[in-house]
Amino acid sequence: MAEPATRPGPRRPRSGRLSRSAEFERVYRRGRSHGNRYLVLYAFPRGGSDGPRLGVSVSRKVGGAVHRNRVKRLLREAFRARAEDLPADHDYVVVARPEARELAENEGLEGIAGSLDELLEAAAK
């Protein structure tokens, strides 16, 4: 009998995610954006200190459901690894560009993390 699959690490609590469209809209409209070939990052200081929150947007232009979910999973994992270094009072929205699929396929987590790190460094300045 096959064993159940195990997760690579602890999941971020739901409070660490943006889920409502109003939260996304606030970050899009009032936050600052930084982009590169693969991703666009929006950052907005919201107040509060319950840790940085992440919202992920991956359109169908990136690919089918399998590819979109892989890109989202890699983005969340890369963000989780970096969350301790980020201000606790910020909301972030990451929008994946179509080229993010190629990056995820070719370089995996290292490529996505590198691209995200570049944008987080730009947002911190």
Side-chain angles (χ1 to χ4, degrees):
M1 182 173 248
E3 292 185 30
T6 59
R7 294 193 185 274
R11 264 179 112 171
R12 285 189 56 81
R14 287 267 179 213
S15 63
R17 293 185 186 178
L18 297 179
S19 58
R20 298 180 183 198
S21 62
E23 295 171 332
F24 277 82
E25 281 297 317
R26 185 183 66 234
V27 176
Y28 286 140
R29 291 181 190 272
R30 297 171 58 191
R32 297 195 57 203
S33 67
H34 304 277
N36 60 24
R37 180 178 174 195
Y38 305 105
L39 304 170
V40 178
L41 174 75
Y42 293 86
F44 176 67
R46 73 177 182 302
S49 61
D50 54 340
R53 298 189 307 172
L54 174 68
V56 178
S57 176
V58 182
S59 76
R60 285 192 214 149
K61 292 179 182 179
V62 173
V66 171
H67 298 291
R68 291 194 312 269
N69 288 331
R70 176 170 167 74
V71 170
K72 285 190 276 188
R73 189 172 59 248
L74 292 173
L75 282 168
R76 286 187 191 114
E77 189 171 341
F79 186 83
R80 184 180 66 230
R82 186 75 192 275
E84 293 177 0
D85 303 331
L86 299 174
D89 63 343
H90 277 61
D91 285 343
Y92 298 93
V93 173
V94 179
V95 179
R97 291 186 166 160
E99 293 84 3
R101 173 184 172 181
E102 297 171 22
L103 182 66
E105 288 176 353
N106 295 334
E107 298 182 33
L109 179 60
E110 294 81 25
I112 294 289
S115 184
L116 183 61
D117 285 346
E118 174 186 325
L119 297 178
L120 289 171
E121 290 295 326
K125 292 181 183 178

